[in-house]
Amino acid sequence: MRLIRLLRILSVVWRYRLDEIAVASLRSPVLVRIVGWTVGRAPREARAVRMRRALEDLGPIFVKFGQVLSTRRDLLPPDVADELAKLQDRVPPFPSDVAIREIERGLGRPVDEVFDRFEREPVASASIAQVHFAVLKDGPHAGKEVAVKVLRPNMLRAIDKDLALLETGALLVERLWRDGKRLRPRDVVAEFDKYLHDELDMMREAANASQLRRNFSGSRLLVVPEMYFDYCADNVLVMERMHGIPVSQIERLKGAGIDIKKLSRDGVTLFFTQVFDHAFFHADMHPGNILVGVNGDQFNKYIGLDYGIVGTLTETDKNYLAQNFLAFFQRDYKRVAELHIESGWVPEGTRVDELEGAVRACLEPVFDKPLKDISLGIVLLRLFQASRRFNIEIQPQLVLLQKTLLNVEGLGRQLDPDLDLWKTAKPFLERWMEEQVGLGGLEARLKREALQWSFLLPQLPRLVHGALTRHQDADRLIDEVRALRREQQLTNRWYAAATVLLMIVVGIAAWAVWRA
């Protein structure tokens, strides 16, 4: 079966003339001459378009791979990244009987026992799962309208087969192509492997959504559906059904009285709130995953869907990003270079002035535009590209964040072409930095550590005594070692003297025998 799949992949590569791209990039001139005959047929479409169409023909897993690959703009040429970003999960639904069987397998009960009403026709279908609407039958949530997300059957087996082929292909790319090592294809496939397996676990997605719902409880920005964990399993997720208008349908939003300009600004604030206040962000914020509420207390708020991919940041990551963004605002390229070196991501011996020059050459052209036309996502991307020649390893969580930032910017400017992202972001970042380095930040950190101190303070006398005892024990051990060493040295001297004396005696005896 794997051979058949491989032949299918090779046939698609040939049909879309991806062999022309491959041959042009081969590391060995000999190999180029051997297989160069394939370049005879001139391709009719641009290389990026051919790559996108080939991935669409190869099926859902390769479409998903192309989507993930499009986020690695630090590795891809711009035309390829832009084209791969157009990939959509246009996947026909699988039969309703199969969906019902999978739901019953996951929940361990017949559908009729769980739901008062279950709509057999799916409302959405993607490469990984599809969604049906239903109404819960009993329990504390009886009568609630829900959305039931169910994994496609046998997805894990299909994914593992294609991943094995992708890993083999990545190894060949790394060995045979000129830019193979720089592109780090095996790392990209490993990243894709992680994303896919995370998305295959519905319980993980439910937990992600629950965390975000808690973070935005009472928020004026975002509504997150409630997860009904009693009805969730590894392959089934049951959540509150949400009502709203897709964020991409701008005319419908205007007709419903939505303030489009406010919505665009709220999207930027929402992103920075997730990143800097929560350090936990929805990392798949494309228009297909977002509705806008039009009723009740959800009016003019974002409604998030699909929480399979989230990103997290450490305090170090947040501080690095905030200081970088503020340095961008001030065109302080030396500070940007220093931040890279302080982060420890730059190889030892990197000169600040050289890195500063590279950052300036990459970013200064960006600032020739009006501030409202500058993309923070592109700024971050250019920073990654400037870092490449210094062998800086870009952290995966920052790549995920940069992809999310590009999504947010694209969405915001789709809603309001005049959106000034910097004007919205700068006060937020300045406020956050003030909270971190000012008295407010100190107070917050003291409160955070207070519980730990209340546990440690009563133990301090015992811990100090134990440390001193261990120190005294260590001193005694050192003294004993030194005494043993002195004894050993003395013994060695006696052995040496005895050896010399024995040699003298043997020498005298030998001389006496020789004289006789």
Side-chain angles (χ1 to χ4, degrees):
M1 290 298 290
R2 185 173 293 185
L3 178 60
I4 295 173
R5 181 62 170 158
L6 181 59
L7 292 174
R8 160 76 175 146
I9 293 170
L10 291 175
S11 71
V12 171
V13 167
W14 175 265
R15 188 188 323 143
Y16 288 101
R17 291 307 325 281
L18 300 186
D19 57 313
E20 176 257 347
I21 300 172
V23 170
S25 302
L26 282 172
R27 178 182 294 172
S28 168
V30 176
L31 287 175
V32 171
R33 284 196 295 271
I34 292 173
V35 296
W37 60 273
T38 63
V39 187
R41 301 172 294 121
R44 296 180 180 179
E45 295 178 303
R47 62 174 184 175
V49 175
R50 285 180 280 135
M51 289 178 72
R52 173 181 59 78
R53 293 186 60 196
L55 292 171
E56 287 174 340
D57 269 14
L58 287 170
I61 306 306
F62 281 81
V63 166
K64 191 64 93 172
F65 179 65
Q67 291 172 339
V68 171
L69 196 60
S70 72
T71 69
R72 297 308 307 265
R73 288 176 171 267
D74 58 313
L75 303 178
L76 296 176
D79 62 321
V80 174
D82 290 341
E83 192 65 31
L84 294 186
K86 299 177 184 177
L87 286 166
Q88 301 292 325
D89 284 332
R90 302 186 191 93
V91 182
F94 54 93
S96 298
D97 290 340
V98 175
I100 291 171
R101 187 172 67 243
E102 287 297 302
I103 293 169
E104 291 178 340
R105 182 177 67 82
L107 300 183
R109 287 186 286 169
V111 165
D112 292 342
E113 288 185 11
V114 180
F115 304 108
D116 192 43
R117 187 177 78 249
F118 182 87
E119 296 183 13
R120 294 178 61 87
E121 289 302 312
V123 294
S125 178
S127 56
I128 298 295
Q130 69 185 34
V131 178
H132 297 257
F133 287 150
V135 176
L136 288 173
K137 189 169 188 175
D138 52 21
H141 304 295
K144 288 275 189 179
E145 291 185 323
V146 295
V148 183
K149 185 173 181 179
V150 55
L151 280 180
R152 288 179 175 271
N154 303 316
M155 279 302 296
L156 184 59
R157 186 162 65 245
I159 283 173
D160 285 344
K161 286 180 180 177
D162 278 349
L163 278 172
L165 292 174
L166 283 171
E167 287 167 0
T168 302
L171 181 62
L172 291 174
V173 167
E174 194 169 287
R175 296 281 175 83
L176 299 178
W177 269 261
R178 284 194 301 269
D179 283 346
K181 288 188 177 179
R182 179 181 66 77
L183 296 176
R184 304 201 308 274
R186 286 189 290 176
D187 289 346
V188 173
V189 172
E191 191 176 320
F192 176 54
D193 187 340
K194 177 184 179 299
Y195 288 159
L196 264 186
H197 282 88
D198 284 353
E199 284 197 84
L200 286 175
D201 187 347
M202 294 290 100
M203 288 298 292
R204 177 188 287 270
E205 180 174 343
N208 291 340
S210 182
Q211 176 70 54
L212 276 164
R213 179 180 171 84
R214 187 161 58 253
N215 289 348
F216 284 94
S217 176
S219 168
R220 62 175 183 82
L221 302 173
L222 177 67
V223 178
V224 180
E226 182 179 358
M227 300 290 121
Y228 300 118
F229 283 99
D230 289 344
Y231 304 98
C232 293
D234 290 345
N235 68 326
V236 180
L237 183 153
V238 177
M239 65 180 179
E240 177 186 4
R241 178 177 174 178
M242 308 306 291
H243 297 273
I245 298 174
V247 72
S248 57
Q249 298 181 11
I250 297 175
E251 292 306 316
R252 283 187 64 193
L253 293 175
K254 290 179 179 178
I258 297 297
D259 185 340
I260 299 296
K261 288 185 179 293
K262 175 182 180 299
L263 196 66
S264 66
R265 293 192 303 271
D266 284 351
V268 178
T269 304
L270 176 60
F271 169 78
F272 283 100
T273 300
Q274 291 181 83
V275 170
F276 291 104
D277 285 348
H278 304 154
F280 185 87
F281 60 94
H282 189 313
D284 202 14
M285 293 182 68
H286 62 77
N289 284 340
I290 302 172
L291 303 177
V292 178
V294 293
N295 298 312
D297 60 358
Q298 296 182 2
F299 184 78
N300 223 135
K301 294 182 181 179
Y302 286 99
I303 300 173
L305 307 173
D306 195 344
Y307 298 90
I309 302 177
V310 297
T312 58
L313 298 172
T314 65
E315 290 297 321
T316 302
D317 292 332
K318 290 194 299 181
N319 186 63
Y320 163 83
L321 284 168
Q323 290 200 55
N324 260 305
F325 282 142
L326 289 173
F328 293 153
F329 286 124
Q330 298 158 2
R331 300 199 191 188
D332 187 352
Y333 303 124
K334 183 177 181 180
R335 182 59 186 146
V336 174
E338 289 172 345
L339 285 166
H340 269 65
I341 292 171
E342 289 169 9
S343 70
W345 300 336
V346 181
E348 286 186 28
T350 301
R351 289 176 50 177
V352 174
D353 59 332
E354 288 184 355
L355 184 54
E356 177 190 355
V359 172
R360 178 183 294 107
C362 205
L363 297 184
E364 190 64 23
V366 174
F367 289 100
D368 283 342
K369 302 177 182 179
L371 273 181
K372 72 180 185 65
D373 295 332
I374 295 175
S375 161
L376 271 178
I378 295 299
V379 166
L380 200 58
L381 170 63
R382 283 180 175 270
L383 179 64
F384 290 169
Q385 290 171 335
S387 303
R388 185 185 299 159
R389 63 172 275 213
F390 293 92
N391 296 318
I392 296 174
E393 288 290 330
I394 303 302
Q395 306 300 299
Q397 69 273 22
L398 297 186
V399 173
L400 200 57
L401 179 135
Q402 182 250 343
K403 170 247 188 184
T404 306
L405 181 53
L406 285 171
N407 283 343
V408 169
E409 284 187 325
L411 175 60
R413 286 185 170 139
Q414 181 183 348
L415 293 169
D416 178 12
D418 294 324
L419 172 68
D420 190 335
L421 191 94
W422 295 69
K423 185 177 180 181
T424 307
K426 187 176 180 182
F428 187 101
L429 291 168
E430 288 175 338
R431 188 265 302 167
W432 186 84
M433 286 299 294
E434 175 61 28
E435 289 177 354
Q436 294 302 301
V437 301
L439 290 176
L442 175 61
E443 182 183 356
R445 284 190 290 275
L446 287 173
K447 286 180 178 178
R448 255 197 326 266
E449 297 294 334
L451 289 175
Q452 186 70 8
W453 289 355
S454 67
F455 175 75
L456 287 176
L457 283 173
Q459 301 181 60
L460 276 180
R462 178 169 54 81
L463 293 173
V464 170
H465 179 267
L468 290 173
T469 302
R470 285 193 298 273
H471 181 69
Q472 291 169 356
D473 291 344
D475 285 345
R476 282 199 296 271
L477 180 60
I478 291 170
D479 290 341
E480 289 175 5
V481 169
R482 285 173 178 166
L484 285 171
R485 185 178 296 170
R486 284 196 297 271
E487 291 178 8
Q488 185 65 45
Q489 289 173 344
L490 183 60
T491 303
N492 289 342
R493 290 193 190 102
W494 279 112
Y495 281 140
T499 302
V500 170
L501 181 60
L502 181 61
M503 290 175 63
I504 292 172
V505 170
V506 170
I508 293 173
W511 181 75
V513 170
W514 179 73
R515 288 293 302 269

